[in-house]
């Protein structure tokens, strides 16, 4: 089984040296991620494409490769490729090619419109159009209700003839596009766990920037648990080829000082300026080139042009705002596509609670006077006390912290119930199968678990389940910290 991977169009138009460098980086990223996921596959750089070769009998590995390729920056599209040689005796004998095309598409095309696209490299005693017509006729004959539509077909049947090799492509699957990590410079993203900051972080990852995460904790343990989940998810899904850092800063002392010393109308702007000052220290320590925020023009009072201008003056670092022209619904739609929307829905907007009648055009003189009342050393102090960890280790460190939460493999119907904490989309795509029919399985998405758990029967022990096990451990840790002892993690036994 072979996958043909095409580089993002912006890579293919770069100079020969840059294109080769980006391609090699993408190959190394693929190898790293496949190895991390225990997938036995060979990755080969072929200049105009990348080939990922999986053993023909390893269907599970092939399906996993398909899932992985959708989430790696730098890939425009990919598809499975079925290769066969041109007939040696008579290259115009298209029967073997027809048989392969029908094997790939005969179950998909009936009742749909289609177009056959043939590309050739090398000299052949036939035209691309000849093969297109032959294959089109065969499909019409063998696929009931099919019809040709060359402009807007439901299905494109693609065949490539590379000298003496024929490649019949399967369904064309879209990649993320963008550039491979880390072909751009490193940045620090201010991650709150909401819609905006997670999408902004993703946008920079997609453009090939290594993104470290800086979290200003304004909401206590539950807030941090949720943001750590978001950071881990973004790394695991889109950036696991490289290590990223998660920096958690307790910003409660800074907020308290602002509440007591700054005028109501200026609180939001001053808070953002203090965050940028702290982020600049972190960014310099990590040698990052810029700070990333999820701000969008006019979304809230602190995000007017006037306020953004004075906020930026608090730092010498470049501040990137990839969402600056997006509507809120556009941002939510992207969060839904990349899988962070459910995390965001569980996050209150803590930054907005401290401003009363906020100004939309803060004056520099008023800001200078207000900030002169603040302790200039406090920012340095909270940064020094911050906690830094590798995002890849969030699952491991969580497991170490969960002292009283067991991982249960053997479930009994009398004492246990399983709670599937995955999102609705995950449950729909991969339904959970109970170990036996007597076991009660509930579906409570993780973002509703904190409130829903209190209403459950406390005489039962509830086993939390998610596919990777990390989110269930994080949620179990939080429930444990809230005083619940009737919680554990369900860990299916390997068969």
């Amino acid at each position: 089984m072979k996958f043909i991977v095409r580089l993002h169009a912006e890579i293919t138009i770069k100079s020969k040296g840059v294109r080769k460098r980006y391609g090699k980086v993408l190959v190394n990223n693929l190898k790293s991620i496949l190895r991390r996921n225990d997938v036995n596959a060979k990755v080969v750089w072929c200049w105009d494409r990348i080939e990922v070769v999986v053993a023909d009998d390893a269907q599970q590995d092939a399906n996993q490769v398909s899932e992985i390729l959708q989430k790696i920056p730098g890939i425009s599209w990919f598809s499975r490729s079925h290769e066969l040689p041109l007939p040696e005796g008579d290259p115009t004998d298209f029967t073997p090619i027809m048989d392969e095309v029908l094997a790939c598409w005969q179950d998909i095309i009936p009742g749909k419109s289609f177009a056959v696209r043939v590309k050739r490299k090398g000299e052949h005693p036939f035209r691309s159009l000849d093969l297109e017509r032959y294959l089109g006729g065969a499909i019409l004959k063998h696929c009931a209700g099919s019809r040709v539509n060359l402009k807007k077909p439901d299905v494109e049947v693609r065949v490539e003839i590379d000298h003496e090799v024929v490649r019949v492509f399967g369904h064309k699957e879209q990649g993320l596009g963008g550039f491979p990590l880390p072909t751009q410079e490193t940045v620090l993203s201010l991650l709150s766990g909401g819609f905006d900051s997670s999408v902004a972080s993703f946008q920079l990852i997609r453009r090939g920037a290594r993104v470290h995460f800086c979290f200003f904790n304004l909401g206590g343990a539950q807030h941090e648990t949720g943001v750590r989940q978001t950071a881990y998810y973004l790394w695991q899904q889109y950036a696991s080829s490289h290590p990223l850092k998660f920096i958690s800063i307790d910003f409660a002392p800074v907020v308290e000082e602002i509440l007591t010393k700054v005028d109501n109308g200026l609180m939001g702007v001053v808070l953002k300026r203090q965050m940028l000052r702290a982020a600049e220290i972190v960014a310099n320590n990590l040698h990052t080139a810029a700070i990333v925020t999820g701000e969008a023009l006019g979304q809230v009072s602190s995000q007017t042009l006037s306020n953004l201008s004075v906020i930026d003056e608090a730092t010498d670092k470049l501040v990137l705002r990839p969402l600056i022209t997006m509507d809120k619904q556009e941002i939510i739609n992207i969060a839904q596509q990349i899988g962070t929307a459910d995390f965001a829905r569980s996050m209150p907007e803590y930054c907005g609670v401290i401003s009363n009648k906020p100004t939309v055009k803060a004056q520099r003189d008023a800001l200078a006077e207000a900030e002169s009342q603040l302790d200039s050393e406090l920012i340095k102090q909270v940064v020094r006390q911050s906690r830094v960890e590798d995002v890849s280790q969030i699952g491991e460190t969580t497991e170490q912290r969960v002292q009283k939460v067991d991982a249960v493999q053997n479930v009994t119907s009398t004492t246990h119930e399983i709670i599937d904490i995955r999102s609705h989309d995950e449950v729909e795509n991969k339904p959970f199968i109970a170990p036996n029919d007597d076991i009660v399985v509930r579906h409570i998405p993780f973002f509703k678990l904190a409130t829903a758990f209190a209403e459950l029967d406390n005489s039962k022990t509830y086993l939390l389940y998610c596919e990777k096990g990390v989110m269930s451990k994080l949620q179990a840790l939080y429930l444990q910290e809230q005083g619940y002892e009737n919680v554990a993690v369900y860990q299916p036994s390997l068969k």
Side-chain angles (χ1 to χ4, degrees):
M1 178 80 63
K2 181 180 291 187
F3 289 83
I4 301 298
V5 178
R6 300 291 186 181
L7 277 63
H8 183 52
E10 289 184 49
I11 300 174
T12 62
I13 61 175
K14 292 186 178 296
S15 67
K16 183 177 180 180
V18 173
R19 178 176 177 174
K20 183 176 181 181
R21 178 168 64 86
Y22 279 29
K24 294 289 187 179
V25 170
L26 182 52
V27 166
N28 289 334
N29 290 351
L30 280 167
K31 289 179 179 178
S32 173
I33 294 173
L34 292 171
R35 188 166 53 246
R36 181 185 294 277
N37 286 273
D38 297 322
V39 176
N40 184 17
K42 183 180 180 181
V43 184
V44 182
W45 165 246
C46 302
W47 178 249
D48 64 336
R49 66 189 184 280
I50 294 172
E51 296 183 355
V52 181
V53 184
V54 184
D56 289 336
D57 59 348
Q59 185 61 45
Q60 184 174 352
D61 281 351
N63 293 338
Q64 195 169 1
V65 168
S66 182
E67 292 180 6
I68 289 170
L69 292 177
Q70 294 177 41
K71 299 173 181 177
I72 298 180
I75 295 175
S76 176
W77 60 268
F78 65 93
S79 65
R80 301 190 188 199
S81 169
H82 306 268
E83 295 189 358
L84 64 155
L86 271 178
E88 293 183 3
D90 182 8
T92 61
D93 178 10
F94 299 144
T95 305
I97 303 176
M98 177 194 72
D99 291 340
E100 193 63 50
V101 167
L102 291 176
C104 290
W105 293 101
Q106 194 167 2
D107 294 337
I108 300 173
I109 293 180
K112 298 179 181 178
S113 64
F114 71 93
V116 180
R117 316 288 194 197
V118 175
K119 291 185 177 181
R120 293 184 302 116
K121 293 180 183 178
E123 297 293 329
H124 304 98
F126 57 87
R127 300 175 301 166
S128 299
L129 183 60
D130 296 332
L131 181 54
E132 288 176 351
R133 287 174 174 172
Y134 182 90
L135 295 176
I139 292 171
L140 288 171
K141 180 180 178 180
H142 291 88
C143 299
S146 62
R147 60 197 183 280
V148 175
N149 185 336
L150 299 180
K151 291 185 177 180
K152 292 184 178 180
D154 297 325
V155 176
E156 279 194 351
V157 176
R158 293 171 297 113
V159 177
E160 181 181 284
I161 300 180
D162 188 350
H163 298 282
E164 304 304 314
V165 177
V166 180
R167 297 188 184 95
V168 177
F169 293 101
H171 178 63
K172 186 176 182 179
E173 300 185 65
Q174 291 299 316
L176 285 183
F179 298 138
L181 287 171
T183 52
Q184 309 304 310
E185 294 178 76
T186 303
V187 299
L188 179 71
S189 180
L190 307 190
L191 187 67
S192 68
F195 292 103
D196 303 340
S197 63
S198 59
V199 172
S201 300
F202 166 78
Q203 298 284 36
L204 267 294
I205 290 172
R206 180 183 172 276
R207 294 300 291 181
R210 184 183 296 188
V211 178
H212 299 306
F213 303 107
C214 183
F215 164 57
F216 295 105
N217 193 343
L218 308 175
Q222 184 181 6
H223 190 195
E224 180 168 346
T225 296
V227 179
R228 291 173 82 235
Q229 287 179 336
T230 304
Y232 184 84
Y233 176 86
L234 287 168
W235 170 81
Q236 184 185 57
Q237 294 292 311
Y238 306 108
S240 62
S241 57
H242 290 80
L244 305 179
K245 299 290 185 184
F246 181 82
I247 300 92
S248 177
I249 301 175
D250 181 4
F251 227 55
V254 177
V255 172
E256 182 180 354
E257 187 180 43
I258 293 173
L259 285 169
T260 56
K261 297 181 179 180
V262 175
D263 178 74
N264 269 332
L266 295 175
M267 284 181 178
V269 175
V270 171
L271 175 62
K272 293 294 181 66
R273 282 165 61 93
Q274 294 291 74
M275 285 181 171
L276 283 189
R277 291 185 175 105
E280 181 177 17
I281 300 173
V282 175
N284 287 336
N285 291 340
L286 295 175
H287 307 291
T288 64
I291 296 170
V292 180
T293 78
E295 292 159 318
L297 186 61
Q299 191 178 110
V300 294
S301 61
S302 63
Q303 296 174 20
T304 63
L305 281 178
S306 295
N307 282 345
L308 291 175
S309 176
V310 294
I311 288 170
D312 283 1
E313 291 173 2
T315 178
D316 293 329
K317 281 285 183 183
L318 173 66
V319 180
L320 301 177
R321 296 182 173 92
L323 314 185
I324 192 67
T325 63
M326 289 189 183
D327 298 332
K328 188 68 176 184
Q329 191 57 52
E330 290 180 87
I331 298 169
I332 292 173
N333 291 344
I334 296 174
Q336 192 71 49
Q337 292 167 13
I338 66 175
T340 60
D342 286 338
F343 296 99
R345 291 189 184 99
S346 67
M347 301 286 176
E349 184 55 68
Y350 294 103
C351 291
V353 301
I354 68 168
S355 294
N356 183 21
K357 297 181 180 180
T359 180
V360 296
K361 194 171 184 178
Q363 301 300 311
R364 288 175 175 81
D365 291 345
L367 283 172
E369 182 178 352
E371 291 180 350
S372 68
Q373 307 299 314
L374 303 178
D375 180 3
S376 60
E377 292 298 313
L378 184 58
I379 292 293
K380 299 176 184 178
Q381 178 182 328
V382 295
V383 173
R384 281 196 302 269
Q385 294 172 348
S386 64
R387 188 174 72 254
V388 181
E389 61 183 318
D390 288 332
V391 177
S392 62
Q393 299 301 310
I394 284 179
E396 183 178 323
T397 55
T398 299
E399 189 168 1
Q400 293 172 354
R401 290 172 63 193
V402 182
Q403 300 296 326
K404 297 181 181 179
V405 177
D406 298 323
V408 176
Q409 289 185 339
N410 299 318
V411 186
T412 63
S413 59
T414 55
T415 59
H416 294 139
E417 289 188 12
I418 296 175
I419 301 179
D420 187 341
I421 68 168
R422 297 174 298 163
S423 67
H424 292 287
D425 289 342
E426 288 179 288
V427 172
E428 186 175 334
N429 291 335
K430 291 185 178 181
F432 174 78
I433 300 175
N436 61 66
D437 294 338
D438 297 330
I439 302 300
V440 175
V441 178
R442 300 171 182 263
H443 175 225
I444 304 177
F446 65 88
F447 53 92
K448 293 183 178 180
L449 187 62
T451 54
F453 200 85
E455 301 175 4
L456 300 177
D457 181 358
N458 60 15
S459 67
K460 294 275 189 179
T461 296
Y462 296 95
L463 310 180
L464 309 187
Y465 168 78
C466 67
E467 188 172 4
K468 299 293 185 180
V470 175
M471 300 305 177
S472 55
K473 290 171 185 173
L474 285 166
Q475 289 296 327
L477 172 62
Y478 172 69
L479 291 171
Q480 174 190 321
E481 291 172 344
Q482 301 307 302
Y484 295 104
E485 297 183 357
N486 60 328
V487 60
V489 172
Y490 177 57
Q491 182 176 305
S493 58
L494 298 177
K495 296 182 179 180

